[in-house]
Amino acid sequence: MKEAEKETGEFLVFTLVSALISFGYNVVMTVIPLRMADRGLGYGEIGGVMSAVAVGLMVIKLAVGHLSDLFGTKRFILTSLLGLSAVCALLAQADSLAAFAVLMAALGIFRGIFLSVNGSSMLELSGNGRYGKVLGVVQGVSSLLASVGGMMAGLLYSLREGEYALLLCSLMLLASALWAALGLKRVGKMERERMKLWKVFGSMNRRLVLFCLIVFIQSFAAGPMWNFIIPMYCYQVLLFSPALLGILMSLDELVSAPTYMLAGRAVDRFPVIRFNVIFLFLTAAG
């Protein structure tokens, strides 16, 4: 009984940590393009800075997976939370193109650290084999809080161009790091043979390669459109207010929250390859 309560408590802690990271990420992605635009930076400069997030993600993900086997996931979750807290605080004071670029790359690195251990952490929490249900709940709550973060960022943008929103986000991430330090168990060292990167790619079958290609194309097209083109067009051409833009850019996360929970349950019960193809086509059509 005590063991079950402990696992439930750890699941709640991890869910909140994941949700607050999504909350902080959406705050930054809402505030920073507007701050740069209001400082007179051009579309090319803003787009380059926003792309730095993806560069940071790519670089760190290649290294963290194996290291988490050696040192456990808890250290990396705490590193991610503390790093994101510091980045949000520094972004609140950033005022130059170089500062924005470096800090957004750091945002990608620290978020990538968490995403690299996110899957293995959820596997540990779903000991009964209900991985889809655990994933659906965690992702659903994370999406819900991400939408709240985007809306809050838009509403608070008028207060020193989002500075207060970024500082509030920094404090919340710092508090969640303290809670995670107390609530997450420390996983011991796991001795596993490290597979070379070229062997990982060589072991992929055609179906997995095709799936990765589809996800890459979707991210390549949807990422810049949602993170840069749509907000800049609405803000500078349609003259949306920051509050209205924050609501608009949070609608996808708001709709995704119940969808994740339903899809998570479906994964545990039905083969989902056909559903994936259908939803990818619907995304492309949208």
Side-chain angles (χ1 to χ4, degrees):
M1 186 68 178
K2 289 183 178 180
E3 187 65 27
E5 291 177 355
K6 186 176 180 181
E7 290 180 357
T8 301
E10 187 178 3
F11 172 72
L12 292 175
V13 171
F14 180 80
T15 301
L16 181 63
V17 165
S18 177
L20 283 173
I21 287 177
S22 297
F23 173 92
Y25 181 75
N26 224 26
V27 168
V28 172
M29 298 301 281
T30 301
V31 168
I32 296 305
L34 303 186
R35 284 182 69 120
M36 288 190 290
D38 287 342
R39 281 162 170 73
L41 297 176
Y43 288 159
E45 294 168 318
I46 298 173
V49 168
M50 301 306 290
S51 299
V53 178
V55 175
L57 277 168
M58 178 187 68
V59 170
I60 199 64
K61 277 189 171 185
L62 296 175
V64 170
H66 177 66
L67 293 176
S68 67
D69 288 339
L70 297 178
F71 302 108
T73 58
K74 182 176 180 178
R75 294 183 182 182
F76 290 95
I77 291 174
L78 293 178
T79 300
S80 176
L81 288 167
L82 293 173
L84 288 171
S85 176
V87 168
C88 288
L90 292 172
L91 278 170
Q93 307 301 321
D95 199 37
S96 67
L97 180 62
F100 282 125
V102 171
L103 290 172
M104 292 301 282
L107 177 78
I109 289 173
F110 288 114
R111 185 168 184 260
I113 289 173
F114 177 76
L115 293 178
S116 298
V117 301
N118 184 40
S120 58
S121 297
M122 283 190 284
L123 279 174
E124 292 172 7
L125 293 171
S126 59
N128 57 359
R130 307 295 286 179
Y131 176 74
K133 183 178 180 180
V134 170
L135 176 64
V137 171
V138 173
Q139 292 293 98
V141 175
S142 297
S143 289
L144 182 61
L145 213 57
S147 69
V148 173
M151 294 179 189
M152 184 206 75
L155 291 171
L156 294 181
Y157 185 77
S158 59
L159 301 176
R160 298 176 63 89
E161 295 184 335
E163 181 178 332
Y164 290 167
L166 291 168
L167 291 176
L168 176 61
C169 179
S170 176
L171 290 174
M172 293 177 68
L173 288 167
L174 182 60
S176 68
L178 296 175
W179 195 22
L182 297 173
L184 294 179
K185 68 181 180 180
R186 183 174 181 179
V187 181
K189 181 188 292 187
M190 301 173 65
E191 295 292 345
R192 294 179 181 173
E193 181 183 357
R194 184 176 184 180
M195 184 178 289
K196 301 295 184 182
L197 189 60
W198 63 270
K199 287 186 177 181
V200 173
F201 287 108
S203 64
M204 295 169 62
N205 58 36
R206 291 181 180 179
R207 181 176 293 181
L208 185 56
V209 171
L210 179 60
F211 179 77
C212 290
L213 181 61
I214 292 173
V215 172
F216 169 78
I217 294 173
Q218 181 190 16
S219 300
F220 182 83
M225 181 174 293
W226 194 248
N227 293 328
F228 171 63
I229 298 174
I230 292 178
M232 286 296 96
Y233 181 77
C234 291
Y235 188 57
Q236 295 201 316
V237 178
L238 300 181
L239 301 180
F240 280 24
S241 68
L244 181 58
L245 184 61
I247 294 172
L248 174 67
M249 301 308 294
S250 299
L251 289 178
D252 66 322
E253 297 287 0
L254 191 62
V255 174
S256 296
T259 305
Y260 275 125
M261 295 182 183
L262 293 174
R265 292 179 178 273
V267 166
D268 290 328
R269 299 181 181 182
F270 308 105
V272 295
I273 294 176
R274 188 172 299 174
F275 291 117
N276 280 336
V277 174
I278 292 173
F279 287 127
L280 284 170
F281 275 118
L282 288 174
T283 302

